Amino acid sequence: MERRNMLGLVVVTTLMFCSLSDSSRLFNNPERRNLIANGLAATPAMGWNSWNHFYCGHNETTIRETADALVSTGLSKLGYIYVNIDDCWGEIARDDDGNLVAHKTKYPSGIKALADYVHGKGLKLGIYSDAGYFTCSQTQPGSLGHEEQDAKTFASWHVDYLKYDNCDNGGIKPTVRYPIMARALMKAGRPIYFSLCEWGDMQPALWGNQVGNSWRTTDDITDNWITMLARADVNEKYADYARPGGWNDPDMLEVGNGGMKKSEYIVHFSLWAISKAPLIIGCDVRHMTEDTKEILSNAEVIAVDQDPLGIQGKKVRAEGSLEVWAGPLSGYRVAVVLVNRGRRRRAITALWEDIGLHPSMAVEARDLWEHKTLEGHFVGELTATVDMHSCKMYVLKPIG
């Protein structure tokens, strides 16, 4: 079994890449630091985004009804407050003054009116742009070369969140393009959460906390078991770089989109939570199944993601298809996820020495998916039998 110390530093081969060395020197310059010190993202963002389910098929009605559904289902009370419009919301060209313009058919009332509606529900509105000349869909202009103008536009519309993509970038490094928008947002006169959707191009975990509130560590997620796990694995390598104010982002949630079984979606949600990932729903919340609502509404799992200690969990043991993920929580507690990636039921053991507890420590174990505290106390280890493509998730609390 491969063993890794949960508290050890992740070794990143930064100096192997000249370009990354250049970016390190750039961001170690004191004058370059804290470009996005906006006071946001004390915990990972929670909300919804249009892309995973609707792609370009969203409109003003979609967004309004989604805001309504976040409230009526109780998801907003659990922390899902961002309603984020992804690509394809704008016209193909800017207006005569160079301003971005909302699509006249899809968003006839304009983004400001939509923001007012969303704010009236106690929620926040997010928008999408690109650190290139056009967005990834090629349906609207990007913000490269227009950063200050666009940041002011977003602020004037009362936007609260910007997802900033990486297409059609002219070959200019993201370490050059993304800080420009960070500075522009800070001068725009409104706190705007800055989500760097750079796809892990130049290991944004190494420099993202000086530029954004979260940064994509991976390529796009798709709604299947293998890709979801691959995104979790890549993201886990950068665990030591996450902290309050800036988070690693393995991409948005696929829970509820239909490509995985319920047990696989539970693994998905559990790994995102222990990884302190932004919890951005990607399904149609207006028409959720009960299983989908149950997963997304698990307040105990959400609490792990939102724990104020803000330390990302890691994969501390791996034996073939059997894994132990763990991370410290506030109050001297530890979150543990036992994952069975294989095709038959297996027992998995979490050893205290691997998860940061003293071997003689006695704990009580709370099962976060069964919503029950296990009988008795546990010392030294915890073993559970886990079904194929499933997981168990616990919070371990020291006794006394």
Side-chain angles (χ1 to χ4, degrees):
M1 176 178 277
E2 177 188 347
R3 294 183 55 180
R4 293 165 56 187
N5 188 329
M6 183 182 69
L7 301 179
L9 292 176
V10 175
V11 178
V12 182
T13 57
T14 310
L15 296 179
M16 291 176 62
F17 301 94
C18 180
S19 60
L20 293 183
S21 298
D22 292 343
S23 67
S24 177
R25 287 193 293 271
L26 171 68
F27 290 103
N28 284 332
N29 183 337
E31 296 180 358
R32 302 274 186 171
R33 294 176 183 171
N34 300 320
L35 301 182
I36 198 70
N38 54 19
L40 302 176
T43 58
M46 295 178 62
W48 173 90
N49 179 281
S50 60
W51 186 255
N52 283 1
H53 184 84
F54 294 97
Y55 302 100
C56 283
H58 55 82
N59 56 38
E60 187 175 298
T61 300
T62 310
I63 305 306
R64 288 175 181 262
E65 290 180 352
T66 296
D68 294 343
L70 288 173
V71 174
S72 65
T73 58
L75 289 172
S76 62
K77 290 184 178 179
L78 292 169
Y80 296 100
I81 61 170
Y82 287 105
V83 183
N84 294 343
I85 312 169
D86 210 282
D87 202 354
C88 312
W89 60 265
E91 290 287 354
I92 191 72
R94 295 173 180 270
D95 68 15
D96 291 341
D97 295 320
N99 296 311
L100 293 172
V101 181
H103 194 282
K104 293 180 178 60
T105 302
K106 296 172 66 174
Y107 289 89
S109 300
I111 304 301
K112 173 61 167 59
L114 191 56
D116 291 343
Y117 183 86
V118 169
H119 293 157
K121 296 286 181 178
L123 305 172
K124 296 179 182 295
L125 186 76
I127 202 77
Y128 167 98
S129 190
D130 189 284
Y133 299 109
F134 275 87
T135 64
C136 292
S137 68
Q138 296 287 299
T139 61
Q140 64 189 67
S143 291
L144 186 60
H146 294 265
E147 290 86 356
E148 288 201 16
Q149 183 175 17
D150 291 354
K152 289 177 181 177
T153 295
F154 299 146
S156 72
W157 290 343
H158 292 182
V159 163
D160 305 291
Y161 183 116
L162 174 63
K163 177 182 173 181
Y164 204 46
D165 221 333
N166 195 32
C167 289
D168 198 19
N169 56 50
I172 305 170
K173 293 179 181 179
T175 49
V176 175
R177 290 177 285 112
Y178 281 83
I180 299 172
M181 180 55 85
R183 294 188 191 93
L185 291 174
M186 290 301 293
K187 295 194 295 184
R190 180 180 180 81
I192 296 177
Y193 181 108
F194 192 25
S195 170
L196 281 60
C197 186
E198 183 257 24
W199 323 322
D201 178 11
M202 289 184 67
Q203 300 188 66
L206 306 186
W207 48 271
N209 67 340
Q210 299 163 32
V211 180
N213 298 117
S214 61
W215 43 87
R216 276 277 298 281
T217 54
T218 72
D219 199 356
D220 288 359
I221 193 170
T222 53
D223 188 16
N224 65 74
W225 172 250
I226 293 174
T227 305
M228 178 273 291
L229 291 175
R231 300 299 174 262
D233 288 341
V234 171
N235 186 70
E236 188 267 345
K237 297 175 183 178
Y238 300 105
D240 290 316
Y241 295 95
R243 60 180 64 90
W247 307 99
N248 292 315
D249 178 8
D251 206 2
M252 300 169 289
L253 295 167
E254 291 282 9
V255 177
N257 280 328
M260 288 184 262
K261 300 176 182 178
K262 180 181 179 181
S263 66
E264 295 171 336
Y265 280 137
I266 287 174
V267 174
H268 181 11
F269 198 68
S270 300
L271 290 181
W272 263 236
I274 201 168
S275 300
K276 299 298 185 293
L279 298 180
I280 306 298
I281 299 170
C283 69
D284 186 353
V285 295
R286 304 171 303 172
H287 305 293
M288 288 187 295
T289 65
E290 285 303 312
D291 283 347
T292 296
K293 184 178 178 182
E294 176 190 342
I295 294 169
L296 295 174
S297 300
N298 190 324
E300 294 189 80
V301 176
I302 291 170
V304 171
D305 181 79
Q306 297 289 297
D307 186 77
L309 189 62
I311 297 178
Q312 180 175 327
K314 300 179 181 180
K315 188 191 305 184
V316 298
R317 295 290 298 265
E319 182 180 7
S321 60
L322 309 181
E323 298 177 349
V324 178
W325 295 61
L329 302 174
S330 58
Y332 304 101
R333 300 169 301 145
V334 176
V336 176
V337 179
L338 308 179
V339 181
N340 181 356
R341 299 190 182 204
R343 294 191 171 275
R344 62 188 180 93
R345 202 164 183 249
R346 299 285 299 277
I348 306 176
T349 298
L351 299 175
W352 277 202
E353 62 189 273
D354 297 327
I355 65 175
L357 292 174
H358 191 278
S360 64
M361 175 71 70
V363 306
E364 66 176 25
R366 176 73 176 177
D367 187 320
L368 303 191
W369 287 105
E370 295 293 332
H371 302 293
K372 66 180 182 182
T373 301
L374 304 186
E375 292 185 8
H377 298 158
F378 298 85
V379 179
E381 63 181 46
L382 174 65
T383 300
T385 300
V386 183
D387 290 333
M388 60 174 283
H389 287 203
S390 299
C391 73
K392 293 284 188 178
M393 188 171 188
Y394 304 99
V395 167
L396 307 182
K397 180 180 178 182
I399 304 300

